[in-house]
Amino acid sequence: MTRVLITGFAPFDGQKVNPSWQAACLVAAEPPAGLTVTAAELPCVFGKSIDALRDAVRASTPDLILCLGQAGGRPGVTVERVGINLDDARIPDNAGNQPIDEPVVPGGPAAYFSTLPVKACVAALRVAGVPAAVSHTAGTFVCNHVAYGLGHLIATEFPHARGGFVHVPWAPEQVTDGTAPALEPATVARGLRALLVTAAGTTAERDLKVTEGATH
């Protein structure tokens, strides 16, 4: 059995729900065959989110770590390729922190790449009927903070684990005027189960050699 830790965030910016946590709970409640899945909710707070992630990894000793976050406005599930060592918050986090041009980890590398097979994961999502793409930016808010923090934890404290970050769109209940794209958390969860099966059986070094790049 492959042990999986999946995390989502608490609601932020005045929202009542966070689809990343909704999807994480659904996956943990009905995991794919061959995987045991533990879900953990992270606070949408700089610093404390990485501390909570570290605690969850220590408690569950996972082989795979999949951190989820909300990306309102994106039309599909996006598998992040890289987290950068930069906090530059356009809005305050849930504790009122708003760091500007500060490192996630002082003295850390400029970036960490996902150790999941990002292109194979995107392909698995699409086969499951879920719109998906590779993303080359996780922003500079708490999602990127955790994406980079996860890479740093794997590199420095938990080298046995592989992991990466995935953004999910708004849930329909968050789009009250119907003008922005949204996906049901159950649909997202279906795709994430396929992603996890693929990630459990494929390393980043054996990722698909297909184009998923961007021109801008």
Side-chain angles (χ1 to χ4, degrees):
M1 298 288 285
T2 299
R3 297 184 304 275
V4 176
L5 172 66
I6 187 168
T7 73
F9 280 107
F12 70 99
D13 197 26
Q15 295 287 325
K16 294 182 179 180
V17 299
N18 192 314
S20 68
W21 179 234
Q22 291 176 310
C25 290
L26 290 170
V27 174
E30 295 184 29
L35 278 62
T36 60
V37 180
T38 301
E41 185 181 49
L42 304 182
C44 189
V45 178
F46 289 100
K48 289 185 177 180
S49 52
I50 296 177
D51 292 340
L53 176 59
R54 178 187 289 107
D55 291 343
V57 174
R58 285 175 175 166
S60 59
T61 61
D63 306 299
L64 287 176
I65 305 165
L66 186 66
C67 295
L68 309 177
Q70 170 188 298
R74 291 190 184 182
V77 176
T78 47
V79 182
E80 299 296 340
R81 198 168 198 176
V82 61
I84 61 173
N85 194 12
L86 176 67
D87 291 333
D88 191 4
R90 183 180 57 82
I91 59 174
D93 67 12
N94 283 356
N97 305 306
Q98 194 171 4
I100 298 174
D101 297 341
E102 296 181 10
V104 179
V105 177
Y112 283 107
F113 283 99
S114 172
T115 53
L116 301 181
V118 293
K119 293 182 178 180
C121 287
V122 167
L125 284 157
R126 291 171 180 164
V127 169
V130 179
V134 173
S135 171
H136 299 89
T137 175
T140 55
F141 195 52
V142 185
C143 284
N144 174 76
H145 184 81
V146 165
Y148 182 89
L150 171 61
H152 192 70
L153 288 174
I154 290 172
T156 60
E157 298 182 40
F158 307 105
H160 66 279
R162 296 185 293 123
F165 196 96
V166 170
H167 267 117
V168 305
W170 274 320
E173 65 191 281
Q174 296 176 282
V175 184
T176 55
D177 59 4
T179 60
L183 279 179
E184 289 285 353
T187 300
V188 173
R190 184 180 73 236
L192 293 175
R193 292 186 188 99
L195 180 158
L196 287 172
V197 170
T198 295
T202 308
T203 64
E205 291 76 19
R206 296 177 62 86
D207 200 4
L208 297 178
K209 291 295 184 182
V210 295
T211 180
E212 290 285 352
T215 56
H216 59 278

